[in-house]
Amino acid sequence: MFLKLKPSFYLLFLPLALWMLLFLVLPYTRVFIQSFYTIDDFGVLQPALSFDSYKRFFTKELYYFTLFKTFGLSAVVTAIALIVSIPLAYYIAFKATKNKTLLYTLIILPLWVSYIVRAYAWKIILGEEGILNSFLQFIGFIDSPISALLYSDLAVVIGMVHIYTPFVLMPIYTSFEQIPTSLVEASKDLGANRFITFFKVVLPLSLPGIITGGTFAFVLSLGDFLAPNLLGGSNTLFISNIFQNMFGTSNDKPLGSAIGIVLLVVVLFVLDMSSRAEKRYSSLNSDRT
Amino acid sequence: MKKFDALNFMTGFLAFAVMFFIYFPMLIVVIYSFNADTVNSFPIKHFSLKWYGVLIQNKTLLTSLKISALIGIFGTAVALVIGTMGALAMHKHNFKLKRFFERIVLLPITLPGILTGIAMLSFFPLLGISISLTAVVIGHTTFLICLVLTQVYARFKRLDPYLEEAAADLGSTPWQTFWKVTLPNIKTAIIGASLLSFTLSLDEIPVTFFLIARDNTLPIEIYTMLRRGITPEVNAISTIIFIISLIALILSVKFGERETKII
Amino acid sequence: MTNSIELKDIEKYFGTNRVIPKLNLTIHQGEFITLLGPSGCGKTTLLRMIAGFETPTSGRVLLENEDITSLPPYKRNVNTVFQNYALFPHLNVSENIAFGLKQKGITGEKLTNAVKDVLETVQMGSFINRKPKELSGGQQQRIALARAIVNQPKVLLLDEPLAALDLKLRKQMQFELKQLHQQLGITFVFVTHDQEEALTMSDRIAVMNKGVIEQLDAPQELYGHPKSRFVADFIGENNTLSGTYNGTHFVSEGFSIPISSTVPKGKSLLFIRPEHIYIHREHPENKHKIEAKVIGKTFLGNLWRVRCKISNGEMVDVSVKPDEIAKINDTDTVFLSWNDQKSNLIHNQ
């Protein structure tokens, strides 16, 4: 396939291709192969072509139930992140005039701030002896601390929404920015009020950005195992936590690999659907990368 | 005087509320880093720099910071070379699998880190790379290469193709053209990509988590501390990380133009 | 006259798509030649092969009798003015201009003087330290020109350099380019799709269509004696009548015009430009006359254009002076005539 290309091409491209092959493609291939292996009584891998791991995954309730729960919670996170992002992006894109650059910088700043710091912040806010509880006690709203705040589904959802909202904000803001003002003016000129203009012109035109943002939030939540670890209780398991466990304490690499492949397929499917949807709904000729 | 506009007010209020939601937790961490008490509760009784002092004494934490910085610098340097070379190859030449390859290099950025981490954990030992800092460096470099490649390649796509032809027309060999014309025009993208790479490497957990042996990186060290129970010095180190991120961002906004956005 | 550029049996494929089939072209030393044609006709590809950005699939490119077919652009003593100027955005005006000379190892005072001189030539002396983005389109254009000519190339290639300028500035630059050409005495190869630009500037014009040079002639010859329907239509306004030539007459449905021509008998086309046609209300004495019906008229400023339908169903446009237009009304029956020498008869395969 590369036959006709000049030697300079190989020189430039070879390190990249080799690196990606060795450290990315082959590792993923290994997981795929490993998912068909079996283990003996001592947890040692035995090469085989067995569908046992997949069978176990889809028959044991804990596993497939967790997968569904992960879907559900990720969808909730995505929905909230979208609802929260749209007004802010709209405000910065269309309403803010003076401090636009500052506001823009402010919404991308969290992307640069450590994940662990943001997750940690919720831990000290929501903890049993945490800031929220002591604040509520201080103002006399409650007598004894609410223990159910941290280590719950709610805490995980709040944390994830907080962590992933900037990822949603960015593309939505960008797509708002790309809408030519003349289109908004045309809509008003044709008699549409601001509500109708927003729902019939602005929102449809920014759909690609909304889809990108939503996909980010959904895929990132699907694969997150740290927020559930730090903020979730023992019963807030995400599929990634089970996945991680199989390579740790449970030591069942074939099952772990099978879960990994299922997760991979799901994520790739979501990404593919989203890029199709994005193409379908993009009506502005933009060179978004 | 402008007439009060309920709709505008609502949008403004919502926007402000969301901003507050995003920044409130981080502000809390910064404020409580000056809390003299061991418990993070409201109200703060005494302010002090005590925890910053404890931080400086914490050898493990400082070592982990050093390890993180080294991984970040090394990973970014290698990624810059390989990624820029790759971007140049893709920019200069057309080959059949180009579109496919453009998608492949996006995967390490878009796929959940845990998948990449476990894939590497499963395969690296077969290459003779034991679970160690070496493995972590390779892991980081892999997604940093993809990051640099995507960002620099995006700039190449916007680069006026006639500039390089003009240089050749005026007597520059391809090598001279690269140094005198191409590089100066993608410089900002490279600076932006390096800053972003370094910051991401510094923050990375999922891949590192599976490849690390004894010596922890900074975020893993913090994670371990959190698992053990909250120690107030985490507030202090978080504040420092927050400030470093802020500086990196300001620099990148200054240099990197729009490529620095992570998308 | 010595040859500056010779293109010999040039063929060019992009993939399986043949954009230029077997083409030959000789460009004389010091002439201003224009490659004219619609977009996609291969004119830019031809220019890029002379510059060295494209290699012909087969055939040879000679520069002053030396084969440069496989020489990379940076080893050819030709320079290009690009359509979008391609000024290096990271360098200022003087650094842009000095770029080529530095490649040749020229430094110091010699370099500074050369840059100063060429900036004087293009009347941009006071812009020496500006960055390209601080210049207007016309100024960028002058710098692009200066950057090329400062290297004293054997041939200057210009790829639609005026396309991005507004009309008034374009006219001005056309004039200056022509002057510059006379001043420098080097060969100019100019690419454009604008026929008026080509007519006003060139010594010779090569009209290209689908990778083929349809006609290569001086502007007056090209306008006066187009050798194909494409050339007749592409350059200026034109009327085409279709019919047959029987050796003495051009015959079509409802009329027959005596013409003496060397064109072989059979299907043929007759070209007449609107300004060469006279319109009469009464039957004229002239023997080249056709009856026609007025369909409509359009005001053009200095002239009116009257559209008529002739007996074979074809439309003919006629230029009419403003003081004569009052006499002509829609649906009138009129007579059209023209001078024998002003029409062109060609064989229609």
Side-chain angles (χ1 to χ4, degrees):
Chain A
M1 61 183 181
F2 298 138
L3 281 176
K4 273 192 187 161
L5 297 164
K6 290 180 193 151
S8 67
F9 172 79
Y10 296 99
L11 230 61
L12 290 170
F13 197 71
L14 221 55
L16 173 70
L18 270 181
W19 188 289
M20 288 306 146
L21 181 71
L22 270 184
F23 302 130
L24 188 71
V25 177
L26 290 180
Y28 271 94
T29 316
R30 170 70 188 174
V31 173
F32 183 70
I33 294 172
Q34 209 166 252
S35 72
F36 299 104
Y37 282 13
T38 52
I39 42 167
D40 62 17
D41 296 341
F42 307 101
V44 179
L45 271 178
Q46 300 295 331
L49 180 61
S50 149
F51 291 89
D52 188 49
S53 306
Y54 290 96
K55 227 177 278 166
R56 277 193 290 154
F57 178 77
F58 287 109
T59 46
K60 192 166 173 190
E61 199 186 324
L62 172 71
Y63 300 151
Y64 65 78
F65 176 75
T66 309
L67 184 65
F68 287 131
K69 190 180 164 193
T70 309
F71 270 138
L73 288 178
S74 301
V76 171
V77 170
T78 307
I80 300 176
L82 281 175
I83 292 170
V84 155
S85 297
I86 290 172
L88 180 55
Y90 182 84
Y91 182 80
I92 299 176
F94 295 111
K95 297 288 164 202
T97 40
K98 278 182 291 182
N99 302 317
K100 207 162 189 164
T101 335
L102 175 71
L103 285 170
Y104 173 80
T105 315
L106 277 178
I107 60 167
I108 55 171
L109 173 60
L111 289 175
W112 290 68
V113 176
S114 173
Y115 175 102
I116 197 83
V117 171
R118 285 182 282 163
Y120 163 73
W122 288 104
K123 222 173 150 78
I124 65 168
I125 292 172
L126 298 177
E128 196 165 349
E129 295 185 333
I131 290 149
L132 185 59
N133 266 326
S134 55
F135 174 73
L136 291 177
Q137 276 175 297
F138 179 78
I139 59 167
F141 193 76
I142 50 171
D143 297 326
S144 54
I146 311 164
S147 56
L149 280 179
L150 191 61
Y151 305 126
S152 66
D153 286 0
L154 180 70
V156 176
V157 169
I158 293 178
M160 282 189 173
V161 168
H162 178 243
I163 290 166
Y164 297 131
T165 293
F167 287 92
V168 184
L169 261 170
M170 275 300 309
I172 296 183
Y173 171 75
T174 314
S175 63
F176 278 161
E177 275 284 272
Q178 281 170 348
I179 298 174
T181 14
S182 59
L183 291 182
V184 177
E185 283 166 358
S187 162
K188 289 180 180 164
D189 181 72
L190 296 168
N193 64 26
R194 280 177 296 177
F195 263 116
I196 298 177
T197 302
F198 179 76
F199 285 107
K200 296 230 161 167
V201 178
V202 175
L203 215 52
L205 287 176
S206 57
L207 219 48
I210 293 173
I211 293 168
T212 313
T215 311
F216 269 130
F218 190 68
V219 168
L220 288 169
S221 310
L222 271 187
D224 197 346
F225 69 108
L226 289 161
N229 261 355
L230 290 168
L231 303 173
S234 50
N235 37 9
T236 312
L237 276 180
F238 268 52
I239 192 68
S240 304
N241 298 103
I242 296 182
F243 179 39
Q244 174 211 349
N245 238 326
M246 292 301 154
F247 288 87
T249 35
S250 301
N251 192 24
D252 189 340
K253 285 179 186 153
L255 182 55
S257 302
I259 299 173
I261 294 301
V262 171
L263 188 59
L264 180 70
V265 169
V266 167
V267 169
L268 287 179
F269 176 74
V270 172
L271 288 176
D272 186 59
M273 288 292 283
S274 124
S275 83
R276 275 165 206 273
E278 227 179 288
K279 261 188 212 120
R280 201 178 141 199
Y281 292 113
S282 75
S283 10
L284 292 172
N285 282 327
S286 61
D287 48 1
R288 275 157 32 86
T289 45
Chain B
M1 232 350 240
K2 233 169 122 184
K3 207 177 68 182
F4 175 77
D5 187 326
L7 204 61
N8 269 346
F9 178 78
M10 276 301 288
T11 333
F13 177 77
L14 276 175
F16 178 78
V18 175
M19 268 297 190
F20 180 77
F21 169 68
I22 293 175
Y23 277 94
F24 173 70
M26 288 185 256
L27 280 179
I28 288 287
V29 173
V30 173
I31 293 168
Y32 274 83
S33 73
F34 301 106
N35 179 15
D37 222 339
T38 320
V39 184
N40 295 311
S41 58
F42 186 87
I44 296 176
K45 292 182 187 87
H46 308 285
F47 285 93
S48 99
L49 291 172
K50 176 174 148 195
W51 297 113
Y52 290 89
V54 175
L55 196 69
I56 297 170
Q57 307 290 318
N58 190 334
K59 283 263 166 54
T60 336
L61 204 59
L62 290 181
T63 314
S64 72
L65 176 65
K66 208 170 85 188
I67 290 172
S68 273
L70 284 176
I71 293 174
I73 291 168
F74 187 80
T76 303
V78 177
L80 272 186
V81 176
I82 296 182
T84 309
M85 278 165 63
L88 194 65
M90 285 171 70
H91 162 63
K92 287 271 190 189
H93 303 270
N94 271 311
F95 49 94
K96 271 190 189 152
L97 294 176
K98 189 162 162 173
R99 292 249 139 195
F100 177 71
F101 199 81
E102 278 177 25
R103 290 182 143 234
I104 286 281
V105 295
L106 278 177
L107 289 183
I109 312 173
T110 39
L111 287 182
I114 187 175
L115 274 174
T116 313
I118 280 177
M120 288 174 169
L121 166 75
S122 306
F123 187 68
F124 281 8
L126 301 182
L127 283 176
I129 304 165
S130 56
I131 297 315
S132 62
L133 282 183
T134 317
V136 176
V137 170
I138 294 174
H140 279 213
T141 310
T142 306
F143 67 77
L144 296 185
I145 288 174
C146 298
L147 189 90
V148 172
L149 179 74
T150 339
Q151 303 244 323
V152 175
Y153 185 54
R155 170 63 63 89
F156 271 136
K157 277 188 171 170
R158 290 202 292 122
L159 194 69
D160 179 358
Y162 295 109
L163 287 185
E164 288 170 346
E165 286 192 353
D169 189 71
L170 295 167
S172 283
T173 61
W175 183 247
Q176 289 169 326
T177 302
F178 177 76
W179 290 105
K180 289 188 161 185
V181 174
T182 314
L183 198 60
N185 280 295
I186 59 165
K187 194 176 66 190
T188 50
I190 289 183
I191 295 174
S194 337
L195 283 166
L196 188 61
S197 295
F198 184 73
T199 320
L200 282 189
S201 165
L202 213 57
D203 283 351
E204 214 288 333
I205 301 177
V207 172
T208 320
F209 188 88
F210 295 101
L211 299 178
I212 204 120
R214 286 188 324 274
D215 319 282
N216 283 344
T217 61
L218 182 63
I220 298 282
E221 183 61 34
I222 297 175
Y223 178 79
T224 325
M225 288 166 84
L226 292 183
R227 297 285 287 181
R228 275 192 244 117
I230 296 163
T231 60
E233 49 194 300
V234 174
N235 286 332
I237 186 76
S238 297
T239 305
I240 292 173
I241 293 178
F242 183 75
I243 290 164
I244 294 175
S245 310
L246 192 66
I247 294 169
L249 171 76
I250 291 169
L251 285 178
S252 93
V253 168
K254 214 174 149 186
F255 288 113
E257 290 178 32
R258 302 208 97 187
E259 261 98 4
T260 38
K261 45 177 216 215
I262 189 154
I263 298 132
Chain C
M1 228 184 307
T2 42
N3 293 334
S4 176
I5 295 273
E6 275 176 277
L7 301 176
K8 288 192 165 170
D9 298 327
I10 294 287
E11 235 186 338
K12 181 66 183 172
Y13 283 81
F14 286 128
T16 54
N17 188 15
R18 188 170 70 167
V19 289
I20 294 175
K22 284 270 185 270
L23 180 145
N24 284 285
L25 175 64
T26 303
I27 298 169
H28 305 312
Q29 187 73 56
E31 79 171 326
F32 193 130
I33 193 167
T34 297
L35 308 178
L36 173 68
S39 58
C41 73
K43 56 190 193 296
T44 298
T45 308
L46 215 55
L47 193 80
R48 290 169 61 80
M49 287 194 288
I50 302 174
F53 303 130
E54 308 279 358
T55 328
T57 312
S58 68
R60 293 190 300 148
V61 181
L62 304 186
L63 173 63
E64 295 185 352
N65 298 324
E66 189 192 334
D67 192 331
I68 57 163
T69 316
S70 50
L71 217 56
Y74 51 90
K75 288 187 183 159
R76 298 184 182 200
N77 197 0
V78 297
N79 287 113
T80 310
V81 178
F82 291 85
Q83 181 171 4
N84 65 350
Y85 319 134
L87 295 176
F88 304 123
H90 60 296
L91 304 178
N92 67 21
V93 164
S94 69
E95 288 164 337
N96 260 288
I97 293 174
F99 196 96
L101 293 177
K102 279 188 192 159
Q103 292 300 328
K104 289 183 187 160
I106 295 167
T107 49
E109 209 168 306
K110 211 174 159 194
L111 180 71
T112 336
N113 288 339
V115 172
K116 266 188 200 151
D117 287 349
V118 80
L119 277 171
E120 286 308 316
T121 313
V122 297
Q123 300 157 32
M124 290 286 290
S126 53
F127 294 87
I128 195 152
N129 289 320
R130 296 261 191 111
K131 281 281 177 74
K133 65 176 176 199
E134 296 161 356
L135 301 174
S136 72
Q139 290 166 340
Q140 290 188 26
Q141 157 80 106
R142 282 159 197 258
I143 300 305
L145 198 60
R147 185 178 70 175
I149 62 174
V150 75
N151 304 291
Q152 298 174 320
K154 288 178 174 158
V155 179
L156 184 69
L157 307 172
L158 303 109
D159 185 8
E160 308 222 15
L162 308 179
L165 305 179
D166 63 52
L167 184 66
K168 211 171 165 189
L169 197 55
R170 197 155 69 220
K171 297 270 181 216
Q172 168 73 12
M173 286 306 296
Q174 285 173 9
F175 178 72
E176 286 182 23
L177 265 180
K178 188 75 195 153
Q179 274 196 318
L180 194 67
H181 173 248
Q182 279 157 4
Q183 190 185 328
L184 297 174
I186 54 177
T187 313
F188 275 38
V189 184
F190 190 91
V191 160
T192 185
H193 63 265
D194 182 337
Q195 46 105 3
E196 198 192 324
E197 196 164 276
L199 289 175
T200 51
M201 298 173 76
S202 324
D203 296 328
R204 287 197 300 163
I205 299 172
V207 182
M208 291 185 68
N209 183 30
K210 293 174 184 155
V212 174
I213 296 181
E214 294 251 343
Q215 191 171 350
L216 172 63
D217 263 318
Q220 298 81 349
E221 186 62 20
L222 211 55
Y223 189 85
H225 301 286
K227 293 201 177 85
S228 70
R229 175 161 197 171
F230 179 82
V231 174
D233 285 343
F234 197 76
I235 308 230
E237 305 277 323
N238 179 53
N239 293 302
T240 302
L241 308 184
S242 38
T244 34
Y245 185 58
N246 61 13
T248 55
H249 286 74
F250 175 76
V251 186
S252 187
E253 208 177 301
F255 65 88
S256 165
I257 302 164
I259 293 178
S260 66
S261 170
T262 54
V263 168
K265 292 179 189 176
K267 282 196 167 179
S268 58
L269 298 173
L270 190 69
F271 305 137
I272 322 138
R273 303 213 178 265
E275 68 267 29
H276 294 148
I277 303 178
Y278 304 102
I279 198 161
H280 313 270
R281 292 188 52 80
E282 307 298 329
H283 198 296
E285 292 309 306
N286 194 313
K287 54 191 170 176
H288 295 169
K289 59 183 188 302
I290 317 178
E291 201 175 297
K293 195 171 204 171
V294 176
I295 303 284
K297 45 189 186 179
T298 319
F299 180 55
L300 298 178
N302 53 347
L303 286 173
W304 284 76
R305 175 80 14 105
V306 176
R307 171 154 291 194
C308 308
K309 190 175 181 179
I310 59 175
S311 52
N312 68 359
E314 287 177 315
M315 297 294 172
V316 173
D317 285 341
V318 184
S319 298
V320 176
K321 289 192 187 115
D323 48 346
E324 290 167 17
I325 195 71
K327 292 182 282 178
I328 298 161
N329 297 306
D330 283 8
T331 71
D332 279 2
T333 300
V334 292
F335 300 92
L336 307 177
S337 74
W338 57 85
N339 185 333
D340 197 1
Q341 264 120 46
K342 297 291 187 186
S343 67
N344 284 286
L345 185 71
I346 67 154
H347 185 63
N348 186 19
Q349 310 83 334

